[in-house]
Amino acid sequence: MWIFLGGIIIGLLLICLRLHYQKSKLQQKIELLEPLVESVENIRDILYYCETYPKLKYLYLSPTVNNLLGPNALRDHVQDPDKVFEIVHPDDYEILVKKTLGTLNFNQPITVRLKNHLGEYIWSEEYATPVYKDGKFVAVQGLFRNINDKIVLQQQLEYKSTHDALTNLYNREYFQAKMAHFNERNDPITVVLADLDELKWVNDEYGHQMGDKLVCETAACLEAYADNDMLIARIGGDEFSILIPNKSVLQVEQYLKNVEMKMQKDYKDLPFSSIKISIGYEYSNSSYGVMEQLFSQADAKMYENKKKRKLLKEKVEPFILTQ
C-alpha cells in the first residue's frame, strides 16, 4: 500500500512541479494543486524521485529529509546525490548499490542506517518502486521514514530476552540455545561450570545487596580475560557456565588461572579479601551430539571441587581446577 500511495503522491507532485514552470495560462491549475504540494512537503515521511540513468539525479526530495539527516541535508543531497554513499553504514552499503542498479528486491522494505549531521547512525525504513523506460531501469521513487526508536526498542527487548538483568551476562535460556547450536556442529568445545561458595553466607551476614555485588564482581572476573568467541552465562543465582569453542585445554586452563588471580585481589567494596568459587570443566575435540554429556561431566567435577574445598576448609585458594 505504501509503495502504491508513494507512487501516486510522487506522480502528482511531479505534475505540480512541471506545471509550476509552464505558462501563466495554467496558473489556475497550479493554485488548485498547491495544497497537495504543501501537504506532501509537511508529512513526516520523506518522498523522493531519483533518476538512476544516465547518472543519479533527484527530480524531487522532500524537505523533511532535514529532520532525519540534518539542517542542510536537502541542499547537500540534491547537489550531490552520491553523498548518500558517504553516510550509509558500511554494512548497508551494498544495499544502496543494488538499489541504484535495480537489482534489489523492491517487494520488501529496505532498511539501512544513515549517518546524520551529529555523526549518529539512524535507522530508516524505505518503500521503493523501480521505474522503467523501454524496459530499462532509469529511476527509483519511494518514501522512507525514521524508525530508529522502533529498532532501538526492539534491540533492547531482544537484549533483555537473552541477558541476565543483574550481571548483563547471557541468561540460562540463551545458554541452552547455544548448547543446542553446538550440539549440531563439529567444533572443539569446553564446557565450564562454576558455583560461588559463599553467596548464601554473604546474603545472610551482609544482606542481599552485598550478595548482588558479589555476583557482579564474579561476572566481571569471568569476563575480564574472555575473548569474543567465549559465551559466559549466569544460569542460576550463584551458578555460572562458560562455553569455550575452538580452544585447546592449555588455553582453557590459562584462562581459568587468569580468572583465579583476579579473584584473589582485595575487593574494597566487599567485606572479604577474595572471591571463593568452585569450578569444573570438560573438553571434547568435537561438540557434535555430546553437549549434554559435557555439561553433566563438568557439573560433576565442579561439585567434586566444592566438596574438596569444604573438607579442606580452604580460605585462600579461590578455586582448585579439577582435571
Side-chain angles (χ1 to χ4, degrees):
M1 185 184 79
W2 281 108
I3 297 175
F4 178 71
L5 179 59
I8 292 176
I9 293 175
I10 292 174
L12 290 174
L13 182 60
L14 291 175
I15 292 173
C16 293
L17 294 175
R18 283 195 288 268
L19 289 175
H20 182 72
Y21 294 106
Q22 289 180 1
K23 296 180 180 179
S24 58
K25 65 180 181 179
L26 296 176
Q27 186 63 36
Q28 185 177 2
K29 293 183 179 180
I30 295 174
E31 291 175 357
L32 290 174
L33 290 171
E34 279 179 353
L36 175 62
V37 176
E38 184 177 353
S39 297
V40 166
E41 295 192 345
N42 283 285
I43 63 175
R44 295 181 61 185
D45 294 336
I46 301 164
L47 304 177
Y48 71 92
Y49 187 102
C50 184
E51 291 183 342
T52 57
Y53 178 83
K55 63 179 182 178
L56 291 183
K57 179 182 179 181
Y58 282 107
L59 297 188
Y60 178 75
L61 179 61
S62 59
T64 45
V65 70
N66 291 338
N67 299 333
L68 177 69
L69 300 179
N72 298 317
L74 176 63
R75 179 200 66 193
D76 294 344
H77 286 267
V78 169
Q79 290 179 354
D80 181 12
D82 287 314
K83 188 173 181 62
V84 68
F85 292 103
E86 300 175 11
I87 65 170
V88 68
H89 191 281
D91 292 343
D92 302 331
Y93 185 90
E94 190 64 25
I95 296 176
L96 288 191
V97 172
K98 290 182 178 179
K99 188 178 82 168
T100 58
L101 294 176
T103 59
L104 196 65
N105 180 6
F106 289 98
N107 293 320
Q108 299 293 329
I110 304 168
T111 304
V112 299
R113 288 155 286 184
L114 300 173
K115 188 188 297 183
N116 65 14
H117 66 298
L118 299 176
E120 305 165 333
Y121 280 107
I122 305 298
W123 285 94
S124 68
E125 183 178 66
E126 178 182 346
Y127 295 85
T129 304
V131 179
Y132 297 92
K133 183 177 181 180
D134 298 328
K136 183 178 181 63
F137 174 66
V138 296
V140 61
Q141 64 181 9
L143 73 167
F144 61 98
R145 60 180 55 173
N146 183 342
I147 60 166
N148 201 65
D149 290 344
K150 174 184 174 183
I151 294 294
V152 170
L153 177 60
Q154 179 180 328
Q155 291 173 337
Q156 290 173 345
L157 292 174
E158 289 175 353
Y159 183 89
K160 289 181 180 180
S161 71
T162 59
H163 286 74
D164 172 60
L166 178 61
T167 63
N168 288 321
L169 298 178
Y170 288 108
N171 59 23
R172 187 182 189 92
E173 290 75 16
Y174 187 79
F175 172 78
Q176 290 175 332
K178 294 302 289 186
M179 285 274 290
H181 168 76
F182 281 110
N183 209 51
E184 299 298 324
R185 294 179 59 85
N186 186 29
D187 299 321
I189 192 78
T190 301
V191 179
V192 180
L193 270 296
D195 190 274
L196 279 168
D197 291 340
E198 298 180 341
L199 179 59
K200 185 179 184 303
W201 174 78
V202 171
N203 284 334
D204 293 342
E205 291 291 322
Y206 301 101
H208 286 271
Q209 185 175 6
M210 188 59 67
D212 287 347
K213 285 187 177 181
L214 171 59
V215 171
C216 290
E217 287 287 357
T218 303
C221 290
L222 294 174
E223 286 189 300
Y225 301 98
D227 60 31
N228 292 333
D229 292 334
M230 294 171 59
L231 187 150
I232 306 174
R234 183 187 181 204
I235 60 174
D238 55 2
E239 297 175 286
F240 301 85
S241 190
I242 309 170
L243 297 180
I244 309 179
N246 303 311
K247 295 286 191 296
S248 67
V249 172
L250 290 178
Q251 289 173 308
V252 171
E253 290 182 345
Q254 184 60 55
Y255 161 73
L256 294 176
K257 287 177 182 178
N258 290 337
V259 171
E260 174 186 8
M261 293 178 62
K262 187 170 181 61
M263 287 185 172
Q264 288 177 342
K265 78 171 189 177
D266 182 26
Y267 289 92
K268 296 179 181 180
D269 295 334
L270 298 176
F272 37 79
S273 59
S274 64
I275 296 174
K276 299 175 178 62
I277 192 169
S278 300
I279 287 183
Y281 70 88
E282 190 66 35
Y283 168 84
S284 174
N285 58 12
S286 173
S287 60
Y288 185 77
V290 298
M291 294 303 296
E292 290 299 329
Q293 177 183 344
L294 295 179
F295 184 92
S296 296
Q297 291 171 338
D299 191 50
K301 289 184 176 182
M302 183 270 292
Y303 277 107
E304 181 183 346
N305 178 263
K306 184 176 285 289
K307 289 178 183 178
K308 287 181 179 179
R309 292 168 57 80
K310 186 176 181 179
L311 289 173
L312 295 173
K313 295 183 179 180
E314 187 63 59
K315 300 298 182 181
V316 178
E317 188 75 12
F319 59 77
I320 303 169
L321 296 182
T322 303
Q323 301 295 333

